[in-house]
Amino acid sequence: MSGRSFQGLKQQAEGAAKDAANTLGQATQDAINQVADASQKAVDQACKTAQDAVEKATGQAAEAVSGLGKKCGFKK
């Protein structure tokens, strides 16, 4: 095999290795982005659920205090 043929094969192998590395890097980045998006959605949902629970509890507490005030004669 001549030196030029070996050099050509070497360049092809290096090019293929670089392409494979770039493809792997892009796939990894895509996976990271998907995980980040899913995580953000989960955090958003958890925050919304917590906020809804706090609002419900606040409403119930306000009703309880109002009822207590009426029983004690503070409110009509």
Side-chain angles (χ1 to χ4, degrees):
M1 180 178 279
S2 71
R4 266 193 254 180
S5 295
F6 181 75
Q7 185 64 27
L9 287 174
K10 180 182 172 189
Q11 288 175 346
Q12 286 179 352
E14 288 173 350
K18 286 179 184 177
D19 289 345
N22 288 338
T23 300
L24 177 60
Q26 186 60 52
T28 302
Q29 186 60 52
D30 291 345
I32 289 170
N33 290 344
Q34 288 176 353
V35 169
D37 290 345
S39 297
Q40 186 61 51
K41 287 178 183 177
V43 168
D44 289 347
Q45 184 60 44
C47 289
K48 183 180 182 327
T49 301
Q51 182 179 2
D52 291 347
V54 167
E55 288 174 359
K56 183 177 179 181
T58 301
Q60 290 172 344
E63 288 177 20
V65 169
S66 176
L68 180 62
K70 287 179 184 177
K71 285 182 183 179
C72 293
F74 299 130
K75 288 188 171 186
K76 294 182 180 179

